[in-house]
Structure formats: C-alpha cells, structure tokens
Amino acid sequence: MPESVPSSLIIDAFKEIFQSERKGARRQDPLGWIISVPDTHQKSVLAALDKERSLRVLTCSTEDDANAVAAGLYMTGEPVIVMIQHAGLYASVNTIRGIAMDGRIPIFYMIGLLSREKDKDPKDSRHSMVRFAEPLLDVFSIPHARMEGPDDVKLIAEYYRKSRERKGPAAVLVGLETA
C-alpha cells in the first residue's frame, strides 16, 4: 500500500544530488534550483523549501515557463529539478518534447499524481489524469518510476542521473501527497 513521503526526506535527496553535481565547482550557493508550478500534491515539500537557504525555489506560472527556465539554468551549469503535478505534464507535452527531448536538455521532473486513490494502482484510477500519466510518459519514452513511500526516495537520485545520462527528460511520479 502506498504511503506519503515526508518532505524532509525529499529535500535531503535534492541536497545530496546537488552537492554531488557541485563537487569541485567554485560556486556552491545555491546548491541547486527547484523550479515549480504551484502544486497542492507536493505542497509540504514546497513549504519546507521556503525555509531552505541552500536551495533556491523559483515558482513559474506555467509548466512551459518551468521547462524553459530549467533549460536556461542547465545551460549555465546550474543543477535543477522541476516540480509539477500531472495536469502540468499534459499541459506541457509540446514543450517537454521540444526542449527536453529534441533539444536534448536533461530535465528531471517530480510529478504529483493529484487525486490518486491510495487503494488503487494508477492504471486502475477512476481519474483519467492519474490513469494516463504513466502511459503518456511511455509514449514519449520518458523513463519514470513511482515514489510510493519513504523507501522509494532513492529513485529521485536515480532518475535525476538518468536524465543526465540520456540528455533528456526523466521523471519520478509522486504517488501520494507528500507529508
């Protein structure tokens, strides 16, 4: 049964990823950037990030903006993670294709599955936005995994690295609202 992941574990994973990216770099402040579009599913992480001084959060009005900002930061050597919810995945498919896929920009996404039923696999959800998120990622051959509990936090670093290795998008779907 899936369970909520504490925001502190997610933020620690972000810091570890960014510290690893920054090894040997002269610039260490901020460690990295979190680009977000307002997301109620991951609101506890976003609230906790507001108190973090080593990570910068930039809130965008659309996922298209978030993709463009993430690409710009990547091009300047800045480590970046994009946090959106599944509605934003659908809304930004063309931008993900154009920037992350065709432009070969490694963007790592944390995608919240808002309205995901705890007792159902997403493919069995009565909510089409939940049901079709993984198949949409499959159609575009975007590597992805589901974070279903605290033990899955390691997937954040794994899929962040995948985005870098393949020079394209990779995602972790946040199964339940973060704690």
Side-chain angles (χ1 to χ4, degrees):
M1 183 78 75
E3 56 185 292
S4 294
V5 178
S7 58
S8 59
L9 293 179
I10 294 170
I11 291 172
D12 287 346
F14 290 171
K15 287 180 181 178
E16 288 174 22
I17 290 165
F18 292 155
Q19 286 168 338
S20 176
E21 285 273 308
R22 294 266 192 214
K23 284 222 187 318
R26 289 185 17 217
R27 182 159 183 249
Q28 296 291 320
D29 183 38
L31 283 176
W33 293 82
I34 308 300
I35 309 303
S36 74
V37 178
D39 178 4
T40 56
H41 195 71
Q42 299 178 79
K43 67 183 171 199
S44 67
V45 176
L46 294 170
L49 283 167
D50 282 342
K51 298 174 183 90
E52 271 302 320
R53 296 294 155 234
S54 61
L55 303 173
R56 295 273 166 74
V57 178
L58 180 63
T59 303
C60 294
S61 57
T62 70
E63 289 75 14
D64 290 336
D65 295 342
N67 281 297
V69 169
L73 285 166
Y74 169 77
M75 286 185 234
T76 64
E78 294 291 313
V80 62
I81 290 172
V82 175
M83 292 178 64
I84 61 175
Q85 62 188 39
H86 57 40
L89 169 65
Y90 296 103
S92 64
V93 164
N94 192 46
T95 306
I96 292 171
R97 181 211 44 83
I99 291 175
M101 295 171 69
D102 294 353
R104 300 192 43 79
I105 302 293
I107 299 178
F108 170 70
Y109 299 90
M110 295 274 297
I111 303 170
L113 292 176
L114 183 66
S115 300
R116 192 256 171 112
E117 301 99 336
K118 187 175 188 169
D119 61 338
K120 291 183 181 179
D121 189 275
K123 71 179 184 306
D124 299 323
S125 177
R126 64 186 178 90
H127 302 285
S128 62
M129 298 280 269
V130 172
R131 195 170 56 248
F132 296 134
E134 289 175 302
L136 178 63
L137 293 168
D138 291 339
V139 164
F140 284 96
S141 300
I142 297 173
H144 59 90
R146 234 185 282 150
M147 189 167 63
E148 298 279 44
D151 291 341
D152 294 334
V153 169
K154 65 186 176 292
L155 295 169
I156 297 170
E158 180 182 337
Y159 281 78
Y160 181 91
R161 278 191 303 277
K162 279 185 193 287
S163 74
R164 292 333 188 235
E165 290 165 2
R166 69 187 302 261
K167 292 187 169 60
V172 167
L173 297 146
V174 181
L176 294 179
E177 189 171 314
T178 57

